[in-house]
Amino acid sequence: MPLFPPPFDPELAATLEPARDVIAPGFTLDDLEAARRETGPELAGLLDLTLDGAFEVEDRTVPGPPGAPDVSLLVCRPTAPPLAPPLPVLYHVHGGGMMLGTNRAGVTEPLAWARELGAVVVSVEYRLAPEHPHPAPVEDVYAGLLWTARHAKEIDGDPDRIVVVGASAGGGLTAALTLLSRDRRGPEPLGQLLMSPMLDDRNDSVSSRQMAGRGAWDRTANETAWTALLGERRGGPDVSPYAAPARATDLSALPPAFLDVGSAETFRDEVVAYASRIWQSGGAAELHVWPGGCHGFDALAPEAALSRAARAARRTWVRRLLER
């Protein structure tokens, strides 16, 4: 039986068509060098991370995993918080298919929440695949969380109110981080916010096959990324849940979760399944499936109605979590 892909939201479709040359499906490792140039530090340096003076921004170098290099953290503290410290902390993990990005990538949305809610933002930079396969990325992310929890007061933060946040590959790493921290009896985040998270290395869901050759992150790109992270282990029987959280057999005792995903993207089915398994394990999860949303739709078309609704839902969840 043929698989027919779900339609894109009309506003998003209008954005995807003229951007076809920039976000064409079928990403392979041959495209990686050019993609890194296009999304490198020079571009990130153009961002005003102070948000017109609302934040004091600094880079900190903290101890990495045992026997590994130090980890770079971007720390953004409100210059005029509405309440006195200690403040909640949004611990951010950037996306990029495990192969791209820096701790500046994707941090503007958490900064917007932090400006409104009076929070500190800490964004972690991790080693990238394929040069640094699993477990390097998640171990770096965990090392950054350990430092943030242990030194929260140095940055005006509250170690008991850390919300971990990530999109795409960063969302997958954030989910893996909560599993790793639970199992190592490490810091206990207040919540986890997973935006279109990359969770399953098997890449064989209905949605991954529906979106082959379509959208901003198709089945080929997904296979490229997972192979970069796992090599020949990808899709096999021995993949760690700290690499691919969908492999976890126990999703109990995790922080409350917010998950969202587009109906017209590769990750749809694995995200829906992950939320369902959290509920089945007795956990708390809020799930949004945005109709017609492609991967990264709110970045591709920030003014689209669907994008505004998605950002509002995330902001509301973070506010509700912090005000509980």
Side-chain angles (χ1 to χ4, degrees):
M1 180 177 176
L3 288 173
F4 298 101
F8 293 123
D9 173 88
E11 282 188 281
L12 303 180
T15 300
L16 281 169
E17 183 58 35
R20 182 178 295 275
D21 291 340
V22 179
I23 56 171
F27 184 91
T28 70
L29 283 181
D30 290 338
D31 304 311
L32 181 57
E33 184 178 349
R36 284 179 172 173
R37 287 196 301 269
E38 293 167 4
T39 60
E42 296 80 8
L43 182 63
L46 300 176
L47 299 173
D48 175 21
L49 299 178
T50 73
L51 298 194
D52 291 326
F55 290 93
E56 172 188 313
V57 177
E58 63 174 319
D59 288 287
R60 293 223 179 183
T61 301
V62 305
D70 290 342
V71 169
S72 175
L73 298 179
L74 173 73
V75 179
C76 303
R77 287 186 280 183
T79 53
L83 298 173
L87 305 173
V89 178
L90 303 178
Y91 183 78
H92 173 255
V93 186
H94 71 81
M98 310 284 183
M99 304 173 289
L100 300 162
T102 70
N103 55 21
R104 265 80 174 155
V107 77
T108 51
E109 187 172 7
L111 280 173
W113 307 332
R115 178 168 56 183
E116 181 178 327
L117 301 174
V120 177
V121 174
V122 177
S123 188
V124 60
E125 190 154 321
Y126 52 87
R127 287 169 289 169
L128 299 173
E131 295 88 349
H132 303 284
H134 175 77
V138 72
E139 290 289 356
D140 287 355
V141 170
Y142 182 70
L145 178 65
L146 279 180
W147 185 92
T148 300
R150 292 170 178 171
H151 298 263
K153 292 183 179 179
E154 292 181 24
I155 56 172
D156 298 335
D158 184 344
D160 296 321
R161 289 194 296 162
I162 299 176
V163 181
V164 291
V165 178
S168 192
L173 283 168
T174 299
L177 173 65
T178 65
L179 293 168
L180 189 62
S181 199
R182 177 199 65 184
D183 295 345
R184 290 183 178 174
R185 301 183 183 275
E188 298 180 11
L190 189 64
Q192 55 178 321
L193 197 156
L194 314 177
M195 297 172 280
S196 293
M198 178 179 164
L199 300 169
D200 197 339
D201 66 294
R202 290 165 289 198
N203 200 26
D204 61 358
S205 67
V206 172
S207 59
S208 74
R209 286 181 275 127
Q210 280 181 311
M211 300 310 297
R214 289 175 55 84
W217 187 260
D218 73 340
R219 193 180 188 194
T220 297
N222 204 36
E223 181 174 331
T224 298
W226 281 114
T227 303
L229 184 71
L230 296 170
E232 294 181 355
R233 290 174 293 164
R234 185 196 66 79
D238 300 319
V239 171
S240 167
Y242 308 138
R247 299 295 197 118
T249 57
D250 178 11
L251 295 183
S252 64
L254 293 174
F258 176 103
L259 306 93
D260 71 356
V261 71
S263 68
E265 71 163 294
T266 299
F267 298 151
R268 182 196 66 220
D269 292 349
E270 63 199 64
V271 173
V272 172
Y274 199 76
S276 295
R277 292 180 56 221
I278 291 174
W279 294 321
Q280 291 163 8
S281 299
E286 179 174 325
L287 171 67
H288 293 258
V289 180
W290 300 107
C294 60
H295 188 65
F297 65 87
D298 51 313
L300 294 170
E303 298 306 315
L306 200 69
S307 302
R308 295 196 301 270
R311 289 196 299 272
R314 297 164 190 159
R315 183 175 64 248
T316 298
W317 183 84
V318 174
R319 175 182 289 280
R320 190 168 64 244
L321 183 70
L322 294 178
E323 290 180 347
R324 265 195 329 204

